[in-house]
Amino acid sequence: MTDAPLAPGATIGILGGGQLGRMLSVAASRLGYRTHIYEPGAAPAEQVAMTRTRASYEDMGALKAFAESVDVITYEFENVPATALDLLDALRPIRPGIRALAVSQDRLTEKTFLEGLGLRVAPFRDIPDAASLTRALTNLGTPAILKTRRMGYDGKGQIRIDAVEEAPTAYAQMQGADAILEGFVDFRREVSVIAARGTTGETVCFDPGENVHDGGILRTTTVPATLSASQRTDAALLAGQILNALDYVGVLGVELFVTADGLVVNEIAPRVHNSGHWTQGGCAVDQFEQHIRAIAGLPLGDGRRHCDVVMENLIGDDMTRLPDLLRQPDTQIHLYGKDEVRAGRKMAHVNHIKRA
Amino acid sequence: MTDAPLAPGATIGILGGGQLGRMLSVAASRLGYRTHIYEPGAAPAEQVAMTRTRASYEDMGALKAFAESVDVITYEFENVPATALDLLDALRPIRPGIRALAVSQDRLTEKTFLEGLGLRVAPFRDIPDAASLTRALTNLGTPAILKTRRMGYDGKGQIRIDAVEEAPTAYAQMQGADAILEGFVDFRREVSVIAARGTTGETVCFDPGENVHDGGILRTTTVPATLSASQRTDAALLAGQILNALDYVGVLGVELFVTADGLVVNEIAPRVHNSGHWTQGGCAVDQFEQHIRAIAGLPLGDGRRHCDVVMENLIGDDMTRLPDLLRQPDTQIHLYGKDEVRAGRKMAHVNHIKRA
């Protein structure tokens, strides 16, 4: 692929077939692209895609055939194995690029990278062994959170530690996984910025959304967030700084803590993000289309919000509220097409729309 | 299928795989449904559907297999052959029902039906032979429009007649097709109402849109339309009257002429309608989702508009404007995934969004 925009009719390969891949596929269709979903398991995304491959990320033959059938490759999750990425990267452009993935796959690398940019992050320590955890707890104080360096999402792979004495038990629960300890951040609220960078280097931010979590899982995102004008500017600037430093192409989610001393970066996700689903109801170009525009080399949408929105996730048994939600005015429903309702499983989201 | 709403995971069969089927398929996915597209030719809709059958409407085996694989059947165009409909109707519910299709498949039946409801239509005469055309022209005056009773769309199958002497030539161009003559309506503007009726009989209208045609093809729809409050009420009332008279389930497009003496019904379409595409940018629930909600037995969206919108079709070479349109703020683009650009062919539409 050259720097010319991807022509209508081209095929975008998507690694991962969950709800993010599903909504990316629909957005791609609006721009005239076809999609090919690569997913080892059940894939809600295949219901709205042209082609699907069901194979593991270790199946080099399937990966090669997939790459050769598409024009550009993107992904809906950051934990794609490195061997698969290397094979794919040799055959087709992967956007966002491998460096962004490598940085965000590992909490230690990510925080080190962010600190290197001069951004504030939660205090952290590498925990290569049990002894280092006790030292780090003494140093950072409690409460603190022990996290696996890799593969965590929706609060999984995280343990809160309230006293130094809990160190051995907590460390044992990591089952030998590489870990880091994060110090406590006293924050007023959490917001996130959904930012995008195109192939020409242009960057665009959507308005920050204010997030409420429960049990490590996002419940709601509200736009506009409660932020001062300078905090909004800071949020956009730091997102742009991260995008540029990574020579990033695509949509990036940046989770921020709002503290008395300013913004602290919690984590980044090199993909469309649950806290950006509100854009489907609030903007002419939503985060999914923004991502497709970016990786296709098209001009980015301008990110302007024409409505206020409260996005609400429907998790597990929340699905019983569906009949009521269908009757609510100004409410957009997005079901994910998952066969089985399970506790803690994201099944759908709704966007409650208000005139801005 | 009982009167209970269609459960998430159910499959909706769609006859026709063009842009309307494509956007219906995407809307169905938001409500957790899968789709199966039945289309004899190239099908843009298959790019976002779970299943597709490529077979003719005369292939009774394929039609039977299609029906048996789905839970409910709908269509994106009104010219489905009657034999196919009869076969399908015996196996699964078709929504909107066969009566609505029969009425709108034939201009003569349609106008007779509308007149029977007490609604105003353009003066018309049945034209079974050449002699009747001369008589009708003398009677209705010129200019008048000779139209095939069946299968016309986008101005096809229509001939304008400016003088009685043109009758033989015009009739010959019909090539023996059943025809009607429509008298001239002196209208100020054309508007359309996109209305919906659910399985419980509830009806909802979107705000009327104002249409501009060129060469028989819709160019733009603007919302709000230039209408008085009483005209708006009349439009909604007459749409509701049509829906109820047909015991209709689904979305119906009603094209209206605004005249000095009130509203005149031009034609009805028993499906989602090009002049309703603006709802994708202006409403929480668009016409496509409204149709899916109706045929699935779900509550209807409330039709409220939260933004003003100008919808513009991209026809044939209009596609060269795409790079510019991608750079315009507050502009939603919907490409139809058609491989070949042809003169007069609808390739895409855009919604220009303004705060209401």
Side-chain angles (χ1 to χ4, degrees):
Chain A
M1 192 165 123
T2 68
D3 281 346
L6 206 60
T11 298
I12 295 173
I14 301 176
L15 300 171
Q19 63 264 26
L20 301 180
R22 178 177 169 100
M23 292 183 279
L24 285 169
S25 187
V26 166
S29 81
R30 288 200 300 268
L31 296 172
Y33 301 126
R34 294 156 199 206
T35 56
H36 184 159
I37 305 292
Y38 193 103
E39 163 67 54
E46 77 178 315
Q47 298 163 17
V48 285
M50 185 75 173
T51 316
R52 76 88 40 95
T53 296
R54 182 179 287 213
S56 82
Y57 290 112
E58 282 74 45
D59 184 338
M60 296 300 148
L63 286 166
K64 182 166 182 287
F66 167 76
E68 288 172 348
S69 78
V70 304
D71 297 288
V72 63
I73 295 169
T74 190
Y75 43 87
E76 63 151 17
F77 73 119
E78 55 268 45
N79 294 315
V80 184
T83 49
L85 288 172
D86 289 341
L87 182 148
L88 296 171
D89 192 45
L91 297 168
R92 291 293 184 276
I94 300 183
R95 293 176 179 168
I98 286 194
R99 170 134 187 265
L101 259 179
V103 166
S104 59
Q105 276 183 345
D106 182 327
R107 291 181 195 279
L108 182 64
T109 313
E110 180 178 311
K111 286 186 185 289
T112 307
F113 161 76
L114 293 168
E115 266 199 338
L117 293 180
L119 302 177
R120 293 185 57 205
V121 297
F124 65 96
R125 293 290 184 277
D126 183 18
I127 307 296
D129 50 41
S132 56
L133 178 56
T134 303
R135 273 198 307 276
L137 283 166
T138 310
N139 192 248
L140 295 182
T142 53
I145 301 174
L146 185 65
K147 298 182 176 180
T148 55
R149 278 173 57 176
R150 293 169 170 274
M151 299 296 282
Y153 69 97
D154 285 352
K156 290 171 187 168
Q158 303 194 4
I159 301 164
R160 182 187 161 114
I161 303 179
D162 286 301
V164 179
E165 297 71 46
E166 297 168 19
T169 317
Y171 188 78
Q173 283 183 63
M174 290 283 113
Q175 299 182 308
D178 290 338
I180 69 168
L181 185 74
E182 291 185 15
F184 186 70
V185 176
D186 182 19
F187 61 92
R188 295 170 179 175
R189 56 185 60 91
E190 192 206 292
V191 300
S192 54
V193 178
I194 308 299
R197 187 169 178 274
T199 52
T200 61
E202 66 170 325
T203 61
V204 172
C205 285
F206 292 104
D207 285 340
E210 185 164 340
N211 302 325
V212 175
H213 289 83
D214 183 14
I217 304 180
L218 183 68
R219 300 301 312 210
T220 64
T221 300
T222 300
V223 182
T226 312
L227 288 174
S228 68
S230 69
Q231 285 169 332
R232 276 171 213 282
T233 306
D234 286 351
L237 287 175
L238 72 82
Q241 204 181 342
I242 296 168
L243 289 170
N244 288 329
L246 293 170
D247 196 20
Y248 196 90
V249 174
V251 159
L252 175 82
V254 184
E255 293 182 16
L256 299 166
F257 295 128
V258 183
T259 76
D261 305 320
L263 301 175
V264 173
V265 182
N266 179 25
E267 63 179 45
I268 61 176
R271 51 169 169 81
V272 289
H273 196 262
N274 193 167
S275 66
H277 292 358
W278 69 267
T279 57
Q280 294 173 317
C283 303
V285 172
D286 67 23
Q287 69 163 346
F288 301 99
E289 181 173 333
Q290 189 77 307
H291 185 74
I292 299 295
R293 284 178 174 229
I295 66 168
L298 297 176
L300 301 182
D302 70 357
R304 268 196 273 181
R305 187 180 93 251
H306 53 70
C307 290
D308 293 348
V309 183
V310 177
M311 189 288 304
E312 182 184 14
N313 278 331
L314 300 190
I315 299 166
D317 287 341
D318 289 345
M319 286 293 279
T320 58
R321 292 172 46 210
L322 197 56
D324 286 338
L325 289 164
L326 281 161
R327 290 177 200 285
Q328 280 188 21
D330 295 330
T331 299
Q332 287 182 335
I333 295 178
H334 292 264
L335 266 70
Y336 299 156
K338 296 179 182 176
D339 286 327
E340 197 189 339
V341 178
R342 290 200 293 263
R345 191 181 204 197
K346 290 175 180 170
M347 300 300 299
H349 71 272
V350 294
N351 285 321
H352 303 283
I353 297 175
K354 290 162 196 177
R355 293 185 186 216
Chain B
M1 193 164 123
T2 68
D3 281 347
L6 207 59
T11 298
I12 294 172
I14 301 175
L15 300 170
Q19 63 265 26
L20 301 181
R22 178 177 169 100
M23 292 184 279
L24 284 169
S25 187
V26 167
S29 81
R30 289 199 298 269
L31 297 172
Y33 300 126
R34 294 157 197 205
T35 57
H36 184 159
I37 305 291
Y38 192 103
E39 162 69 52
E46 76 178 320
Q47 298 162 18
V48 285
M50 184 76 174
T51 316
R52 77 88 40 99
T53 295
R54 182 179 287 212
S56 82
Y57 290 111
E58 282 73 46
D59 184 337
M60 296 300 148
L63 286 166
K64 183 166 182 287
F66 167 76
E68 288 173 345
S69 78
V70 304
D71 296 288
V72 62
I73 296 170
T74 191
Y75 42 87
E76 63 152 16
F77 74 118
E78 54 269 46
N79 296 314
V80 184
T83 47
L85 288 172
D86 289 341
L87 182 147
L88 296 171
D89 193 44
L91 295 168
R92 290 292 183 279
I94 300 183
R95 294 177 177 167
I98 285 194
R99 169 131 188 267
L101 259 179
V103 165
S104 59
Q105 277 184 345
D106 183 326
R107 290 181 197 280
L108 182 63
T109 313
E110 179 178 311
K111 286 187 186 290
T112 307
F113 162 75
L114 294 167
E115 266 199 337
L117 293 180
L119 302 176
R120 295 185 55 204
V121 297
F124 65 96
R125 294 290 184 277
D126 184 17
I127 306 296
D129 50 40
S132 56
L133 178 56
T134 304
R135 274 199 307 277
L137 283 166
T138 310
N139 191 250
L140 295 183
T142 54
I145 301 174
L146 185 65
K147 297 182 176 180
T148 55
R149 280 174 56 177
R150 293 169 170 274
M151 300 295 282
Y153 69 96
D154 284 353
K156 290 170 187 167
Q158 304 194 3
I159 301 164
R160 182 186 160 115
I161 302 178
D162 287 300
V164 179
E165 298 71 46
E166 298 168 18
T169 317
Y171 188 78
Q173 284 184 63
M174 291 283 113
Q175 299 184 306
D178 290 339
I180 70 168
L181 185 74
E182 290 185 15
F184 186 71
V185 176
D186 183 19
F187 63 92
R188 295 171 178 175
R189 56 184 62 89
E190 192 205 293
V191 300
S192 53
V193 178
I194 308 300
R197 186 168 177 276
T199 51
T200 61
E202 66 168 326
T203 61
V204 172
C205 285
F206 292 105
D207 285 340
E210 185 164 340
N211 301 326
V212 175
H213 289 84
D214 183 14
I217 304 180
L218 183 68
R219 300 301 312 213
T220 63
T221 300
T222 299
V223 182
T226 311
L227 287 175
S228 67
S230 69
Q231 286 169 332
R232 274 171 215 283
T233 307
D234 286 352
L237 287 175
L238 72 82
Q241 205 181 341
I242 297 169
L243 289 169
N244 289 328
L246 293 171
D247 196 20
Y248 196 90
V249 175
V251 159
L252 175 83
V254 184
E255 292 183 15
L256 299 167
F257 295 129
V258 182
T259 77
D261 306 320
L263 301 175
V264 173
V265 182
N266 180 26
E267 62 179 46
I268 61 175
R271 53 172 168 80
V272 289
H273 195 261
N274 194 168
S275 66
H277 292 358
W278 69 267
T279 56
Q280 294 173 317
C283 303
V285 172
D286 68 23
Q287 69 163 346
F288 302 99
E289 182 173 333
Q290 190 77 308
H291 185 74
I292 298 294
R293 284 178 176 230
I295 66 168
L298 297 175
L300 301 182
D302 70 357
R304 268 197 274 182
R305 189 179 94 251
H306 54 69
C307 290
D308 294 348
V309 182
V310 177
M311 188 288 303
E312 183 184 12
N313 277 331
L314 301 188
I315 299 167
D317 287 341
D318 289 345
M319 286 293 280
T320 58
R321 292 172 47 211
L322 197 55
D324 285 340
L325 289 164
L326 281 160
R327 288 177 201 285
Q328 280 187 19
D330 294 329
T331 298
Q332 287 182 335
I333 295 178
H334 292 263
L335 267 71
Y336 299 156
K338 296 178 182 176
D339 286 328
E340 197 189 338
V341 178
R342 290 200 294 263
R345 190 181 207 198
K346 291 176 181 170
M347 300 301 299
H349 71 272
V350 295
N351 285 321
H352 304 283
I353 297 175
K354 291 162 195 176
R355 292 185 187 218

